């Protein structure tokens, strides 16, 4: 107790004016009006240290003006809702590490709404219950490493809009808490997430790659029994090339199990090795087509960027909207290119002025010399060539097998000539020449004249009379052949 609080002590110091002692007592935080320093604690201004005091409960009462309360290295195994019966409006740091703490009430932080630093590390916590920290809207740093946490409720970190650093390393967490990082649901100010030395066997590498680089720079995944995967390798390989501290500082501790293997291997050494044969991913290469619009991202690993600008492949510096509106610098630092042309291809560089160091990012743009959404009748050259070949073969087959025979020598000589009036279906007026019997000579043209008698004694108009005899072996001529192919193509009607 300060000397000014004891009336006897004040009477023993007559050389000091009473008014001065009264003023000092009012100004001192541990004066009579402010409260007293708890036993076995050390008090300095608004700091209260009760570390290594062999306490099993939080001392009470606590002065209202306490800003930092250190209760580490004690035996406080349960933090009940009434550990702070009165509101502590000035408390911004609470240290409870190394206590064997196994239980924390969901109402334990109702009287400390302005807490910014909470240390619950090196205890025996097993679960993080629903809305456990929802009363700490101003919390910025939360230390939960070196516990036995195996279950994390999805709402345990609700309302922590200002949380910047979350340490969950050296626990028993087997499920990756993606809700902490997913856009729209993640902690908006989170800049560091430590999940090292847990029981994680898989991580959503695709979604983690989409995170900002400044967040991936402080995403610690080392010393987990991860399963080897090429997406995981490419995620970490990109981080190494970007010099992200979470990868570069722990390359030897980033290990995984090969499929069917029994020993750990280094994740960053999976490139080209069986059985996965992972290939290295290209850092920033965009492919586009003529007339497209693309956005080049400037994903810096620094937060609080003071400024940034782009340099085109031609060496031109882009600070704002381009003269013709084809190049636009967006508010988030990205560069938008509209109506792409072949000359827009090349390597673009983004210069970032960080809070401590500068950073340069490179994005390669490939512009294909054709439009992706052309007319519907535009065909690929190879496809057009294949269709043309198929059509040519079909036309040749039609010509060879479906063209009617137009020579007299097509039929064999051994077939006897048919009678003149063997059938009414004979094409007597056909303009197609008939075949000569085994002579190999072209057939002479018909001369239609006279009238004849048809089958069954009926009159047959336009009948073909016998031709006059010719001299020589070529005089014989076949008048009609009912089996002739040419009769099918006759275009003269038959009158019966």
């Amino acid at each position: 107790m300060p000397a000014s609080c004891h009336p006897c002590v004040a009477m023993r110091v007559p050389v000091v004016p009473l008014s001065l002692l009264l003023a000092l007592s009012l100004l001192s935080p541990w004066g009579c009006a402010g409260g007293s320093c708890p036993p076995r604690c050390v008090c300095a201004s608004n700091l209260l240290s009760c570390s290594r005091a062999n306490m099993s409960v939080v001392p009470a009462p606590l002065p209202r003006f306490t800003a930092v309360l250190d209760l580490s290295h004690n035996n406080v195994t349960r933090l009940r809702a009434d550990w702070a019966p009165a509101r502590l409006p000035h408390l911004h740091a609470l240290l409870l590490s190394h206590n064997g703490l196994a239980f924390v009430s969901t109402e334990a932080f109702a009287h400390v709404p302005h807490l910014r630093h909470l240390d619950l590390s090196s205890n025996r916590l097993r679960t993080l219950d629903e809305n456990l920290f929802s009363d700490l809207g101003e919390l910025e740093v939360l230390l939960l490493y070196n516990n036995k946490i195996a279950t994390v409720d999805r709402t345990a970190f609700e309302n922590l809009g200002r949380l910047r650093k979350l340490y969950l390393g050296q626990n028993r967490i087997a499920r990756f808490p993606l809700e902490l990082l997913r856009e729209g649901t993640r902690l908006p100010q989170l800049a560091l997430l430590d999940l090292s030395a847990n029981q994680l066997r898989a991580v959503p590498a695709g979604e983690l790659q989409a995170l900002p680089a400044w967040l991936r720079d402080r995403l610690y995944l080392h010393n987990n029994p991860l399963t080897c995967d090429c997406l995981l390798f490419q995620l970490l390989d990109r981080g190494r090339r970007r010099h992200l501290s979470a990868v570069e500082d722990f390359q030897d501790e980033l290990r995984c199990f090969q499929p069917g293997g029994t020993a750990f291997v280094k994740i960053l050494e999976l490139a080209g090795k069986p059985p996965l044969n992972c290939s290295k991913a290209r850092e920033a290469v965009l492919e586009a087509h003529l007339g497209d619009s693309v956005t080049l991202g400037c994903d810096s690993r620094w937060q609080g960027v003071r400024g940034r600008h782009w340099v085109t492949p031609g060496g031109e510096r882009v600070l704002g909207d381009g003269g013709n509106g084809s190049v636009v610098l967006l508010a988030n630092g990205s560069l938008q290119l509209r109506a792409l042309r072949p000359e827009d291809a090349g390597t673009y560089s983004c210069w970032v002025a960080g809070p401590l160091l500068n950073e340069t990012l490179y994005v390669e743009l490939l512009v294909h010399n054709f439009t992706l959404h052309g007319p519907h009748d535009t065909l690929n050259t190879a496809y057009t060539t294949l269709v043309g070949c198929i059509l040519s073969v079909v036309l040749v087959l039609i010509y060879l097998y479906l063209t009617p025979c137009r020579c007299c020598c097509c039929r064999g000589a051994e077939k006897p000539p048919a009678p003149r009036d063997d059938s009414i279906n004979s094409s007597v007026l056909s303009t197609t020449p008939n075949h000569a019997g085994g002579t190999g000579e072209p057939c002479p043209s018909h001369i239609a004249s006279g009238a004849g008698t048809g089958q069954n004694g009926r009159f047959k108009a336009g009948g073909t009379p016998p031709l006059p005899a010719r001299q020589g072996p070529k005089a014989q001529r076949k008048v009609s052949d009912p089996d002739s192919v040419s009769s099918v193509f006759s275009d003269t009607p038959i009158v019966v």
Side-chain angles (χ1 to χ4, degrees), residues 106 126-134 142 144 149-160 166 168 173 175-180 185 187:
T106 55
R126 297 181 179 274
T127 62
L128 298 180
D129 296 329
E130 180 181 0
N131 298 316
L132 181 59
F133 306 105
S134 60
L142 178 56
L144 291 164
I149 300 172
T151 305
V152 180
D153 190 88
R154 296 181 183 273
T155 63
F157 303 102
E158 287 287 336
N159 302 326
L160 299 184
L166 177 57
L168 288 167
I173 300 173
R175 181 189 67 86
F176 188 89
L178 189 61
E179 64 274 6
L180 302 180
T185 60
L187 304 173

Side-chain angles (χ1 to χ4, degrees), residues 66-94:
T66 303
V68 178
L69 177 58
D70 184 4
L71 295 170
S72 61
H73 295 277
N74 281 288
N75 297 315
V76 182
T77 58
R78 301 177 68 86
L79 192 65
R80 303 180 182 273
D82 58 351
W83 72 270
R87 188 178 179 88
L88 299 175
H90 303 285
L91 187 65
H92 63 77
L94 176 60

Side-chain angles (χ1 to χ4, degrees), residues 352-368:
V352 180
L356 299 176
L357 299 174
N358 296 335
E359 184 181 17
T360 304
L361 305 176
Y362 299 95
V363 181
E364 183 180 354
L365 177 62
L366 304 178
V367 180
H368 297 290

Side-chain angles (χ1 to χ4, degrees), residues 275-336:
L276 295 179
N277 294 318
C278 298
S279 60
K280 293 186 177 182
R282 305 171 72 178
E283 174 59 28
V285 178
L286 294 180
E287 298 187 22
H289 303 81
L290 292 178
D292 288 352
S293 296
V294 297
T295 301
L296 310 182
C298 188
D299 188 18
S300 174
R301 65 191 181 103
W302 300 116
Q303 273 188 296
V305 173
R306 294 183 287 107
R308 72 184 83 196
H309 68 271
W310 286 85
V311 177
T312 65
E316 300 179 1
R317 185 171 178 175
V318 181
L319 296 175
D321 195 345
N324 56 359
S326 60
V327 181
V328 179
L329 183 62
L330 303 180
N332 61 355
S334 300
L335 186 68
Q336 187 178 67

Side-chain angles (χ1 to χ4, degrees), residues 166-308:
L166 177 57
Y167 296 86
L168 288 167
Q170 301 183 44
N171 280 287
R172 301 175 181 177
I173 300 173
R175 181 189 67 86
F176 188 89
L178 189 61
E179 64 274 6
L180 302 180
L181 303 173
R182 186 180 286 118
E183 187 67 31
T185 60
R186 68 177 177 88
L187 304 173
Q189 300 296 325
L190 188 64
L192 185 151
L193 177 59
D194 179 14
L195 291 168
S196 62
N198 275 280
Q199 299 298 320
L200 297 176
R201 296 189 177 275
V203 296
E207 298 194 47
L208 296 183
Q209 182 59 47
L211 296 176
W214 55 264
L215 180 53
R216 286 185 283 120
D217 187 39
R218 296 291 187 272
L219 177 59
Y220 297 94
L221 297 171
H222 57 277
N223 288 330
N224 274 287
L226 296 169
T227 302
C228 293
D229 180 77
C230 286
L231 289 179
L232 176 63
F233 162 73
Q234 293 175 353
L235 171 70
L236 299 178
D237 187 51
R238 289 190 182 100
R240 177 174 58 180
R241 282 184 282 170
R242 291 290 305 274
H243 302 288
L244 302 184
S245 60
V247 178
E248 198 169 45
D249 297 341
F250 298 95
Q251 297 187 41
D252 295 336
E253 288 80 10
L254 286 166
R255 297 174 175 268
C256 64
F257 273 113
Q258 287 270 28
T262 57
F264 281 109
V265 296
K266 294 182 180 180
I267 299 177
L268 294 174
E269 295 180 357
L270 291 177
K273 291 185 177 181
L276 295 179
N277 294 318
C278 298
S279 60
K280 293 186 177 182
R282 305 171 72 178
E283 174 59 28
V285 178
L286 294 180
E287 298 187 22
H289 303 81
L290 292 178
D292 288 352
S293 296
V294 297
T295 301
L296 310 182
C298 188
D299 188 18
S300 174
R301 65 191 181 103
W302 300 116
Q303 273 188 296
V305 173
R306 294 183 287 107
R308 72 184 83 196

Side-chain angles (χ1 to χ4, degrees), residues 91-124:
L91 187 65
H92 63 77
L94 176 60
L95 312 178
L96 282 165
S97 62
H98 297 279
N99 268 280
L101 193 64
F103 170 78
V104 178
S105 172
T106 55
E107 300 177 357
F109 307 108
H111 290 161
V112 288
H114 303 296
L115 204 62
R116 298 198 301 270
H117 183 102
L118 178 58
D119 186 359
L120 297 175
S121 64
S122 300
N123 283 295
R124 298 178 182 176

